[in-house]
Amino acid sequence: MKAPNLVDLIRKHRNALAVFAGTLSFSVGTSWVADAIDWKEKTFSDGMFATGLALGILGAYLAIHFGKKLFSVTSLSQKTGTHPHKVLFIFMSAAQTPPSRKEDRWVLENNGQSVELDPRLEEVLQQQIKGIPFPWQQTLRAIKAHYVPGGGGVEAIYLIGSKDERKDKPNGSHGQLDRAIELIRFYFPQLKTIEARPRDQGVDFEDMKALLDLLRELMEEAKQAGYKEEDIMIDITGGQKTNSIAGALVTIHHPKLEFQYVGTRAPYTLKTFNAVAVEHGDL
């Protein structure tokens, strides 16, 4: 086994070394500040005082800044509601019976029953469909929190679909995303971008690595489009528990990134979360 060289050791323990250097600098600096003033002789050395003060400030900064990283200070914030974000990553659940477009109206059909959805956004969000599952109603609520008619709100939405686990009977949401996109555009006509991800096929919602890789790719794509980290919101209302875990893990390593969840019972309160670790390297 090859012994680590000096450069590798410094890189590995850089936070501890920085804290040590900061503590030493602070001690020396404060000592020089004290020595610069001789109260008995009533003398003052401005050069020693300035140098000591600079060393003290530098040492305090190094000790505090790298000390946080060394001890991996974490925090978790939770709040009700949110402000409009420009980009949404939304995990989509599969719909047992997706709504269908018939000219200028949307219809839900199940076991011979047919229900027409209200064409107005506020009314359709309150519409109760007895006996017929209303797919993607929570998705509409998640988007509404960020949508500002006339502009200034959400601009780009990426719908994340799950892949089919059975070839004989498709059960993933990725194959339904075209219809979901059409439904979203019907109620939010001013949206600039709505796209399905991954482009070719769905992602395994139980594969944590695949989920994290996809979220990283989406973040990079959004940044290349000119958006900042704080412009992005991850919605974990749909999908499975692994999606929620992936969303939380990504925010831990990206302090300005938040994730949200829409309650499944009235009044359907939206909660925003941000889990942060000061030591936030790559996952």
Side-chain angles (χ1 to χ4, degrees):
M1 182 176 179
K2 183 181 179 181
N5 57 39
L6 181 60
V7 175
D8 291 335
L9 287 173
I10 293 175
R11 185 181 293 113
K12 181 179 180 180
H13 301 288
R14 61 185 182 276
N15 291 331
L17 291 172
V19 171
F20 173 78
T23 303
L24 181 62
S25 177
F26 181 79
S27 299
V28 173
T30 53
S31 176
W32 284 11
V33 168
D35 292 342
I37 305 174
D38 190 332
W39 297 101
K40 185 176 180 180
E41 299 294 333
K42 296 183 180 180
T43 59
F44 174 73
S45 174
D46 53 354
M48 180 180 290
F49 181 86
T51 304
L53 182 62
L55 282 174
I57 293 174
L58 175 62
Y61 170 79
L62 291 173
I64 295 173
H65 180 74
F66 289 95
K68 288 181 178 179
K69 293 187 175 184
L70 180 64
F71 296 108
S72 229
V73 179
T74 60
S75 66
L76 172 66
S77 65
Q78 172 182 326
K79 61 184 178 181
T80 299
T82 184
H83 66 274
H85 288 65
K86 295 181 180 180
V87 183
L88 299 182
F89 301 160
I90 302 178
F91 288 104
M92 296 292 291
S93 295
Q96 182 178 353
T97 309
S100 57
R101 182 80 177 267
K102 294 187 177 180
E103 297 180 352
D104 60 343
R105 54 197 185 96
W106 283 87
V107 177
L108 279 174
E109 297 180 352
N110 187 36
N111 295 328
Q113 300 183 66
S114 179
V115 176
E116 183 175 337
L117 299 183
D118 198 298
R120 297 163 296 181
L121 177 61
E122 292 296 334
E123 280 70 16
V124 77
L125 290 179
Q126 301 302 322
Q127 192 169 354
Q128 301 296 320
I129 311 297
K130 294 184 178 180
I132 302 180
F134 191 166
W136 309 323
Q137 190 176 33
Q138 294 296 83
T139 300
L140 298 180
R141 290 191 174 102
I143 297 172
K144 179 180 178 295
H146 301 269
Y147 185 74
V148 179
V154 60
E155 298 176 356
I157 294 178
Y158 298 95
L159 303 181
I160 303 175
S162 59
K163 70 177 183 180
D164 294 323
E165 298 176 358
R166 296 173 53 183
K167 295 182 179 180
D168 58 328
K169 187 178 181 181
N171 60 349
S173 61
H174 191 270
Q176 302 174 345
L177 292 188
D178 286 344
R179 193 178 299 186
I181 289 173
E182 191 178 358
L183 176 70
I184 292 170
R185 285 205 176 277
F186 180 80
Y187 287 106
F188 301 98
Q190 296 179 16
L191 280 171
K192 294 180 181 179
T193 303
I194 312 177
E195 297 183 5
R197 290 293 187 275
R199 289 185 174 89
D200 52 350
Q201 61 180 355
V203 62
D204 185 351
F205 274 9
E206 294 185 354
D207 187 335
M208 183 63 66
K209 184 179 184 304
L211 291 172
L212 291 173
D213 287 344
L214 177 59
L215 288 173
R216 281 198 297 264
E217 291 174 8
L218 290 178
M219 287 183 61
E220 185 61 30
E221 184 175 340
K223 289 179 180 179
Q224 290 179 359
Y227 295 107
K228 301 178 181 178
E229 191 172 284
E230 56 265 35
D231 293 330
I232 303 171
M233 175 68 81
I234 302 175
D235 183 80
I236 62 168
T237 309
Q240 301 178 14
K241 292 181 175 65
T242 43
N243 307 143
S244 304
I245 297 172
L249 285 176
V250 170
T251 65
I252 285 177
H253 292 263
H254 298 275
K256 296 181 180 179
L257 189 65
E258 297 179 319
F259 64 99
Q260 69 177 29
Y261 176 82
V262 181
T264 56
R265 292 180 292 184
Y268 308 106
T269 304
L270 184 144
K271 298 284 187 180
T272 304
F273 305 89
N274 188 18
V276 176
V278 174
E279 182 65 49
H280 49 83
D282 293 333
L283 287 174

